[in-house]
Each structure stands twice: as structure tokens, then as C-alpha cells.
Amino acid sequence: MNTLKTEQHDGIKSIEQVLRDAYDAGLRAIPYGRVADYIPELAKADPNAFGICMIDGDGRTCSIGDAGTRFSVQSVSKVIILAAALKFRGFDGTFSHVMMEPSGDSFNSILKLDTRSNLPFNPMINAGAIQTVSLLVDHISFEELLDYARLLCRDGGITLDEKVYRSEAETGDRNRAIVYLLKSKGVLQGDPERTLELYFKMCSLAVNAKSLAALGLIISNGGVDPIEGARLIGADNVRTIKSLMFTCGMYDYSGEFGVRVGVPSKSGVGGGLVCSAHGPLGFGFYGPALDPYGNSIAAVKAMEHISKELGLHVFNY
Ligand code: GLN
């Protein structure tokens, strides 16, 4: 558990120590967090699990702890959903249906959607991601989105976790309320039940910290997989995705995370966190004990440490 594994050593020795210290800082935070239980299947996660993976532009990989453990991607899939929407529907075709503003509310809030706006605030919260999925549901199948997720995460082993999917589909009443509120306002772009099914399936993909590190790496490399050389996201779309990760990716903690860490990131209630730093450098985390906002408490602590030590804040000078 506590052993550092490096697949290659050249030039990243000092980073290993930074990751080890970050891992220890994360472990110390775990007792203050709680595993999500509103999706019953998620409550089965080991609260003490914690893993970090970092991949650089040459594919050098450094991992510590439970970096190979599979868990459900949950809201980190909102990044993949947005990338797909921008690819298949274009910038205007996406943002004529969802806004680009931080909501300041919790990830599953319905409040401002009903009282302040007809369109969801941004694609990084549930209402915005559900709306974004409604743009895709008649144009791309789940299998095609799964293939895209496998490419973006450099992980052919990603599959649908059927148990998580069924658990969420059975208990996702709040998301059901969101999709029907969007329909009642006349803004939803697809069938509500098919939209929800695709949204729940995308939340239930089984990834690990290494998959998320690869996702972070490809985004930080401008949308090109630096190891395979393939362009997976258009450069303009990457700028949009990173902007929204920075401003909205950590829910109603996004502002403070931006100040303290300053790296475009996206979390999920399964305990995942992806961070896309300059370098190119990608980080993936797994730590299912969550803070009150729904972010992995250990991953947030660890990334704050890493960002400070490696000088990764985007506004450093
Ligand atoms: N599937 C979860 C939900 O819709 C995703 C939320 C999250 O990860 N914050 O509630």
C-alpha cells in the first residue's frame, strides 16, 4: 500500500519525494472525510483507500498507494461529456444550450436553474452535464462514448460498472427531477429517460487513478496524446474545457481550490480527481472519503501540496 512504484526513474527522483509527502498529507486528511452514500453502491468503498498517479509528456509514470484500484468515475466524466459535445455539436451548438458560469451551489442543486435561469449554469454540475448529454443522445451511442473515454484515458480496460449504474438509476431521483425540470422549461434537447440512462452510464465507468492521470496529461498537452501522437480533442476545445475545469470543476469549492491549487481539475463523488498541469503533466487521484463539497478530501490536500512544491499554479510568476 505504502510503496512508491515508478515505472521509469530518469529525472523524476525529486518528484517521487514530493508525491510521497503529498500522499502522507492526504492520508492525514482522510479521517475528516466521508464516503458518499446517496448512491448506495458507492457506500461500499474503503474510506481509507488512497492513490496518486502522475504521468509526464514522455509517458514517465509515478504512482503511489491505490493507483490501480478501479472505482466509478462519477462527475469526472463531465469532462469527457463536454469534450464529446464540443467535438460533435461544436462550440455554439453546445453553449447555446448550457452556460459557462460557476453556480456557487452544490453539484446537484436545482435552485438557480429554476429561479435564476432557464439554462444550467455550466457543464461541470449535474444539471449542465445532463443538458450536455441531451445534446449527444441522438448523435452518439454509449459504446462510442465509452471508446472515446478509453482513448482519452489511455485505458482500454474501462468498462461499465453495472452495479453502480443500477444503483444510481434506481436512486437518482434528484437527477430525474433535473431532467424533467429542463424538459418542462422546453430546453432539454433529447428524450429525458434516454438522456438520464446515458448520463448514469457515463458516471458508472470504472477507471483508476492512472486513467485519470492520462486524461489530465492529454488535456494538458493541448488535446494530443503525447505518447501515441493522436489528436483527441481540438486545441480550441481544450482551452474551453480547461477554463471550465478551473472555474467550475470543484463545484462550490472551485474558487478556493483555484486560489490554493490553481490547476484545472475535476472531481467526482466516487473519489476521483483529475488535474491537468503545465508540463505537460497529468495527475489522477483516488480517495473515496469526501469533503462537504463532494471532493476527495485526501486528493485535494495532496494536490495542494504538489502544486505548491512543484510550482504548478497557473498564475505563478
Ligand atoms: N453520478 C453523480 C450524480 O449525478 C455524479 C455527481 C458527482 O460526482 N458529483 O449525483
Side-chain angles (χ1 to χ4, degrees):
M1 283 276 284
N2 204 2
T3 54
L4 184 73
K5 284 180 283 168
T6 51
E7 291 175 13
Q8 291 182 34
H9 292 269
D10 306 352
I12 54 169
K13 211 62 191 172
S14 61
I15 290 181
E16 289 177 354
Q17 193 54 49
V18 170
L19 288 199
R20 195 186 285 279
D21 292 345
Y23 179 76
D24 289 342
L27 285 183
R28 285 195 294 276
I30 286 175
Y32 302 98
R34 277 196 61 210
V35 172
D37 56 8
Y38 75 100
I39 299 170
E41 198 60 29
L42 296 186
K44 296 180 181 167
D46 172 7
N48 294 312
F50 186 42
I52 306 176
C53 180
M54 189 207 81
I55 312 180
D56 74 8
D58 297 319
R60 290 182 296 196
T61 301
C62 192
S63 57
I64 182 165
D66 302 314
T69 303
R70 295 260 168 205
F71 60 95
S72 68
V73 66
Q74 294 300 329
S75 280
V76 182
S77 66
K78 291 174 166 79
V79 172
I80 297 166
I81 291 165
L82 177 59
L86 291 168
K87 183 177 158 104
F88 292 105
R89 303 301 304 264
F91 184 89
D92 293 337
T94 300
F95 291 107
S96 47
H97 301 287
V98 58
M99 302 193 296
M100 322 174 193
E101 294 301 331
S103 71
D105 291 329
S106 63
F107 65 81
N108 58 5
S109 176
I110 262 170
L111 204 64
K112 285 188 189 136
L113 176 61
D114 199 25
T115 57
R116 289 265 310 276
S117 156
N118 268 337
L119 294 181
F121 269 63
N122 68 74
M124 298 289 135
I125 54 172
N126 287 16
I130 290 169
Q131 174 77 339
T132 308
V133 167
S134 86
L135 295 170
L136 291 170
V137 74
D138 291 327
H139 300 270
I140 179 167
S141 66
F142 167 68
E143 286 69 26
E144 287 169 309
L145 273 177
L146 173 59
D147 281 345
Y148 191 44
R150 286 173 172 161
L151 285 175
L152 285 177
C153 295
R154 296 181 45 77
D155 180 0
I158 297 177
T159 52
L160 174 69
D161 185 327
E162 291 278 354
K163 281 190 181 159
V164 172
Y165 167 62
R166 274 200 301 278
S167 183
E168 186 159 4
E170 278 161 17
T171 58
D173 293 331
R174 208 174 169 83
N175 290 322
R176 204 158 274 117
I178 288 174
V179 85
Y180 281 100
L181 183 57
L182 291 166
K183 180 169 182 263
S184 79
K185 288 170 172 288
V187 298
L188 192 75
Q189 297 298 302
D191 173 76
E193 290 301 327
R194 289 181 47 242
T195 296
L196 265 191
E197 180 188 324
L198 187 54
Y199 170 77
F200 288 149
K201 282 186 173 166
M202 288 306 290
C203 290
S204 305
L205 299 183
V207 296
N208 56 34
K210 192 173 177 187
S211 342
L212 298 188
L215 175 64
L217 173 69
I218 288 168
I219 292 171
S220 96
N221 196 43
V224 174
D225 179 337
I227 297 139
E228 301 295 328
R231 173 164 292 285
L232 301 175
I233 312 175
D236 287 353
N237 293 346
V238 168
R239 193 178 53 221
T240 301
I241 292 165
K242 282 170 92 170
S243 301
L244 287 166
M245 287 169 74
F246 193 89
T247 53
C248 311
M250 305 298 285
Y251 316 118
D252 40 337
Y253 187 69
S254 297
E256 187 165 341
F257 188 86
V259 171
R260 291 188 186 279
V261 181
V263 174
S265 300
K266 182 75 200 89
S267 62
V269 292
L273 176 68
V274 58
C275 304
S276 186
H278 278 310
L281 212 47
F283 295 89
F285 297 84
Y286 172 52
L290 307 179
D291 66 18
Y293 306 97
N295 301 315
S296 168
I297 199 161
V300 166
K301 255 290 166 258
M303 192 58 203
E304 188 177 336
H305 180 90
I306 291 169
S307 178
K308 286 207 174 97
E309 289 293 315
L310 300 183
L312 298 179
H313 198 298
V314 291
F315 299 131
N316 277 352
Y317 53 89

